[in-house]
Amino acid sequence: MSEYPSLHMLIDGEQVSGGSRRTHTVVNPATGEALGELPLADAADLDRALDAAARGFALWRDAPAQQRAAVLQGAARLMHERQEEIARIATLEQGKPLAESRIEVMMNVGLFNFYAGECQRLYGRSLVRPNGMRSTVVHEPVGVVAAFAPWNFPIGNPGRKLGAPIAAGCSVILKSAEEAPASALAVLQCLYDAGLPKEVAQAVFGVPDEVSRHLLGSPIVRKLSFTGSTVVGKHLARLATENMQRTTMELGGHGPVLVFDDAELQKTLDTVVGHKFRNAGQVCVSPTRFIVERGVFEAFRDGFAERARRIKVGSGLDAGTQMGPMANPRRPEAMDRLIKDAVARGAKLHCGGERIGNQGYFYAPSVLSEVPLDAAIMNEEPFGPVAIINRFEDEAAMIQEANRLPYGLAAYAWTGDAKRQQRLGRYLEAGMVGLNTTMIGGADSPFGGVKWSGHGSEDGPEGVLACMVTKAIHEG
Ligand code: NAD
């Protein structure tokens, strides 16, 4: 396909591919057809990336903040100019509607511009000390960052993984998902073209477990940044203990949405249904468990299912498509397994519950209600286009259900009661809480979870500080 670029790794500024390297076939999830062959790193490639990153850190840690800012602003400008090209690549390899890919590019533009400002505001402090003594507290870049980004936001995830370390003065080795590599390469290319020294950022691909063991096994790497499932996150966190690398973990969620009798029903439905099926539900902050107060339960369930049935599913490249295919064959398999299990345990299926067509990985928007707690889907992140709608008696029971799981990424609630909003803001166990809104992010706002959803933040000032260490210097 001519629109899809040839694939390579970017190590020490060189496009690396071919030779005796293994390859991974990148597939268009809308058609199941091959898009390209991705070279996978061998041990020598990873050692070369480590060596370049070590040199890159020595160089970039001392680069003036204005230089880092200029690179980030330049890359933001180039991404904006290349918006259409990058968005099409992302839709080809990941499947989401083009409109969503375009927004993703613009989220990176906003984030890089924010970090360009933030890296010029990394202040320390001085301490009052007796007898002419001087003590200062400074933030220093942590060092080489190994960053692992998943396939669900093929532009935005690499943008986050690259932007923060570069703002902080670190170097970074990025392993983005092998399923959607060209988007990550396009983002890194914008940074190179904006003047980022080539040693400062590397893009490798490979067998994930081989790459993570190799990189985290090296004392050159000082920080691990991972976005993905909790099970893989726990595995990587264990690997990182060996060299005591710092960690930022953006892991899974099981987003509770509390809908109270006093919520504005139509407005709530219009907002949450679109949010549920964005990116075919393959979003860590996707609303999943709709915890609905009894007075509004039937109307909410019926209104939700009616809107879900109307969602236009198709190729992300087709105008008018509201939901694309799932990103890989594992996801429709997971949907089938989880929905069948729920129905077998007594849940009601109102729509969906099946694949669409016989090519690609399309799955119908699905709505379940009255799902028992022992169903797998009530406990496992579905990461797909399925909503669970259950009835509850009162606020206390609803908060208890919201906090029942070990996950704590995003939580949402709709209510007209201001006092209740305050209680929910306080008692919902989540890193991000949306009250009468699904807009829970932004370049200037920390993004991250609690409990099994991970620790540390990306975005906001917190995202840059997460790539820094604190040092106290005392001068007598
Ligand atoms: P997975 O757990 O196999 O992989 C998730 C991501 O981690 C992928 O990008 C993968 O390449 C990477 N990965 C896997 N093993 C790794 C290793 N040893 N070292 C480094 N990286 C590794 O699952 P999947 O089938 O790709 O995705 C399904 C599940 O992943 C979902 O159910 C969801 O919970 C989770 N997920 C979460 C996010 C998120 O934004 N938090 C994104 C994508 C996937």
Side-chain angles (χ1 to χ4, degrees), residues 148-153 157 175-179 207-213 226-232 235-236 239 250-253 282-285 328 330-331 381-383 407 409:
F148 299 89
W151 41 262
N152 58 336
F153 286 89
N157 286 326
K175 190 204 81 63
S176 222
E178 287 67 30
E179 281 134 321
V207 175
D209 196 46
E210 272 178 39
V211 178
S212 49
R213 279 180 197 278
F226 174 72
T227 299
S229 59
T230 295
V231 61
V232 174
H235 166 67
L236 294 186
L239 290 182
E250 301 281 7
L251 307 179
Q282 301 164 116
V283 183
C284 53
V285 296
N328 59 55
R330 298 188 297 282
R331 299 320 308 154
E381 182 179 30
F383 220 64
Y407 296 106
L409 194 56

Side-chain angles (χ1 to χ4, degrees), residues 18-172:
S20 58
R21 290 179 186 85
R22 294 156 295 174
T23 60
H24 168 84
T25 305
V26 180
V27 169
N28 180 341
T31 61
E33 286 166 6
L35 288 167
E37 288 296 316
L38 177 71
L40 302 181
D42 53 31
D45 293 325
L46 298 174
D47 283 337
R48 209 176 142 205
L50 284 164
D51 176 67
R55 282 182 280 112
F57 177 55
L59 183 78
W60 199 239
R61 62 177 294 168
D62 292 328
Q66 292 78 2
Q67 185 186 349
R68 294 182 214 155
V71 165
L72 287 161
Q73 277 163 347
R77 209 165 29 247
L78 290 170
M79 269 188 289
H80 198 169
E81 281 169 27
R82 299 174 192 173
Q83 181 187 21
E84 200 56 27
E85 178 196 332
I86 300 174
R88 288 186 80 81
I89 289 171
T91 290
L92 278 172
E93 60 185 11
Q94 198 271 349
K96 65 177 63 181
L98 210 41
E100 289 187 28
S101 296
R102 291 187 186 114
I103 292 170
E104 217 181 306
V105 176
M106 293 316 291
M107 283 165 62
N108 264 9
V109 170
L111 186 64
F112 279 24
N113 278 327
F114 176 80
Y115 279 159
E118 207 53 31
C119 72
Q120 299 178 75
R121 290 190 286 268
L122 294 169
Y123 308 123
R125 68 184 198 272
S126 61
L127 309 178
V128 178
R129 288 287 181 269
N131 305 328
M133 198 181 153
R134 192 169 68 163
S135 294
T136 47
V137 179
V138 296
H139 300 298
E140 293 184 338
V142 62
V144 176
V145 177
F148 299 89
W151 41 262
N152 58 336
F153 286 89
I155 308 162
N157 286 326
R160 280 182 166 156
K161 297 293 175 212
L162 291 165
I166 287 170
C170 299
S171 61
V172 53

